[in-house]
Amino acid sequence: MRCEDDIWQRNMNKRNVYIVGAHSRGRTLKAYLEYLCPDVKAEAFLVDDMAENPQSADGIPVELIRKGLHTDYPVYLATRGTYHQKLAESLRAIGMQEIIPVTVELDRKLRNAYVRSRRKEEGKAFRMIDSLSAGDWKEKDWCEKTAAIYVAHSAFDQPLQTPYRLAEKERILQVGAALTDKRLSPGGLTDCEGENISARNRQYCELTGLYWIWKHAREDYVGLVHYRRHFLLPPDWAERMEENRIDVLLPVPLYVAPDIAGNYRERHIASDWDFLMEYFKKELPEEYRDAEHFFKGNLYSPCNMLIARREVLDRLCGWLFPILDAVVTCGGEKKEPYMNRYPGFISERLITYFFERDANGYRIAYADKNFLA
């Protein structure tokens, strides 16, 4: 039994559970629960409308919330938090006794426990930045090192409802600046200065910021986050990276079903993924088998967030952008704005693969992230 936290361990004497939500969140929760707690079995995914849901997913049925369900089974709400109250009311109305919202905190605990256990089984290290020692920097030459985390922010982004104060080493970088005359702040950093791909922001998203960082930032440690998503870091994160010889800091990996490739093909345009793999086969044949094997796995670090040593970022970007440019040359522009962002969605998978393909060559650490409403 791998269950170690009473938040979910309290229900492990009840083998069967229901999960509300039949898409990515629900399927991910099913994987976490059944792996961490082998005595638990998800009986069904529950939904309030079958119109946009499959009849079954990951080997179990998808059913409507209705009378006749086992009211003594725990029910996990694996949907966006904004839907939890309404769903809980519907479940109580049919007599459900134990309703467990999957909060940000619970999701984080389950994800970290899952990844930690998987890494251990695979013989791989799982280093969390906040558990690493910073050493005694009073007697070392840290003062010669520089670090910056660039926060990608667009003039087209919706205002934050949650107040947020930039951390000490965070700096706003306006992305997609070539597409507007509006500036987030007078004299602020923009991704349209010098060599850039700022005008491609509608497709490349925060990657226009990554490209600018690659070409222009000169700190010893450089990072990219989003105005809504930031790493949850100890104040001395840079010292900890240096002390422990960490090459790159990534978000804790996320589980996706049925696998990385299949998940992309289900949620986006499959032909773009097919071309990506054809590119590996023709242009990077020495990597093709490794990439194909990795994309049959279930874990990748989302959101194009990272902090890396300057030279490591150089190697990553020199490898990454030619691949993305080739995919875009083939795939072109999509009419639907969300699907048009496919270079950004593909890059999430590629960045993780880049570091995992040479896990013995790069020392990787992980950090949790927030999401600001």
Side-chain angles (χ1 to χ4, degrees), residues 115 117-124 299 356:
V115 176
S117 184
R118 284 285 303 272
R119 287 288 196 249
K120 185 176 180 180
E121 283 189 354
E122 296 167 359
K124 297 179 180 178
L299 292 172
E356 287 292 339

Side-chain angles (χ1 to χ4, degrees), residues 133-147:
S133 169
D136 184 3
W137 286 96
K138 293 180 181 179
E139 299 179 1
K140 298 187 178 182
D141 61 352
W142 172 251
C143 60
E144 297 180 4
K145 301 289 184 180
T146 56

Side-chain angles (χ1 to χ4, degrees), residues 5-24:
D5 193 297
D6 60 5
I7 289 179
W8 64 85
Q9 190 176 18
R10 65 190 179 194
N11 293 309
M12 292 310 102
N13 60 325
K14 304 174 183 177
R15 183 171 184 270
N16 296 82
V17 302
Y18 291 124
I19 296 173
V20 178
H23 293 287
S24 58

Side-chain angles (χ1 to χ4, degrees), residues 132 137 142 145-148 210 213-214 217-224 237-250 306-317 354-355 361-365:
L132 299 178
W137 286 96
W142 172 251
K145 301 289 184 180
T146 56
L210 182 63
I213 293 167
W214 174 33
R218 288 295 172 262
E219 291 85 3
D220 296 296
Y221 290 89
V222 286
L224 175 68
W237 61 266
E239 291 90 336
R240 295 182 190 221
M241 287 185 70
E242 179 71 9
E243 174 73 10
N244 293 276
R245 306 186 311 282
I246 300 300
D247 293 303
V248 64
L249 180 72
L250 297 171
L306 77 164
I307 304 172
R309 294 181 184 273
R310 168 78 262 172
E311 62 274 16
V312 172
L313 187 84
D314 288 344
R315 290 197 291 272
L316 167 66
C317 292
F354 177 84
F355 291 109
Y362 292 112
R363 286 179 62 85
I364 305 169

Side-chain angles (χ1 to χ4, degrees), residues 7 87 192 206 232 247 257 364 367:
I7 289 179
L87 289 167
C192 61
E206 63 278 347
L232 300 177
D247 293 303
I364 305 169

